[in-house]
Amino acid sequence: MINFIYKTLNLIPKTIAKIEKLYSYSILNSHSGVKLHSDLRIGKATTFEFDDDTKFEIGKNVIWRDHNAIRIRNGGHLIFGNNVDLSHYISINCLDKIELGDDTCIAEGCKFYDHDHAFDTKPEYVWHKNKFNTAPIIIGKNVKIYSNVTVLKGVTIGDNCIIGANCVISRNVPANSIIFGKHELMRLPLM
């Protein structure tokens, strides 16, 4: 009897996860700016926020896992190339353009912001809640970004790069580089 109750109760979270996935697919399929392939695989508890004038292109064989948040606002354009692999707890916030190249792999907890809040310093400091400075983020092909990396506006990461865990990427990264370092970023040629 206990085994039956356990199995029955175990079906509830699995059923909820399936409903969440169906809901995610319905959101993607109902938006006119979304182009996706039928082989897309979405994990559970992914959230989306899209404005009407946004674009989201999803290549072939894209996988994103659980608890990711994707926000495309104010006419933003998000592009996932082919074979993009997103792990868990990733946040992508797009007001301009963010592009992840083919064969790119993003580990847990990474964040992408192609914008920051505008502010004035004269005559006094004023932070603008609804004004933004934007610049595209372009991630090349065959890039591996390890856990808890933050990529900021205006950054281009070249092809065949490895970005080490916990880095904040605020400047361009040349192709074939390894980036690492907790306090100050260090760049080494990969090839």
Side-chain angles (χ1 to χ4, degrees), residues 98-117:
I98 298 176
E99 182 173 353
L100 304 180
D102 294 347
D103 303 306
T104 292
C105 185
I106 311 294
E108 296 87 4
C110 292
K111 295 173 177 43
F112 298 83
Y113 299 96
D114 68 354
H115 60 281
D116 56 24
H117 287 275

Side-chain angles (χ1 to χ4, degrees), residues 160 176-177 188-191:
N160 307 312
N176 306 309
S177 297
L188 297 176
L190 187 62
M191 297 182 199

Side-chain angles (χ1 to χ4, degrees), residues 7-23 44-45:
K7 286 182 180 180
T8 304
L9 290 175
N10 200 23
L11 287 175
I12 294 170
K14 289 179 181 178
T15 303
I16 291 170
K18 286 181 183 179
I19 292 169
E20 285 175 342
K21 285 182 186 182
L22 289 172
Y23 181 67
K44 63 184 177 190

Side-chain angles (χ1 to χ4, degrees), residues 71-74 76 91-98 112-118 129 131-137 150-155:
R71 293 173 192 87
I72 312 171
R73 311 302 293 267
N74 299 338
S91 177
I92 298 174
N93 300 276
C94 179
L95 298 182
D96 188 329
K97 179 180 181 183
I98 298 176
F112 298 83
Y113 299 96
D114 68 354
H115 60 281
D116 56 24
H117 287 275
K129 184 177 181 180
K131 288 184 184 177
F132 300 95
N133 299 311
T134 66
I137 295 173
T150 300
V151 180
L152 300 177
K153 71 177 173 70
V155 166

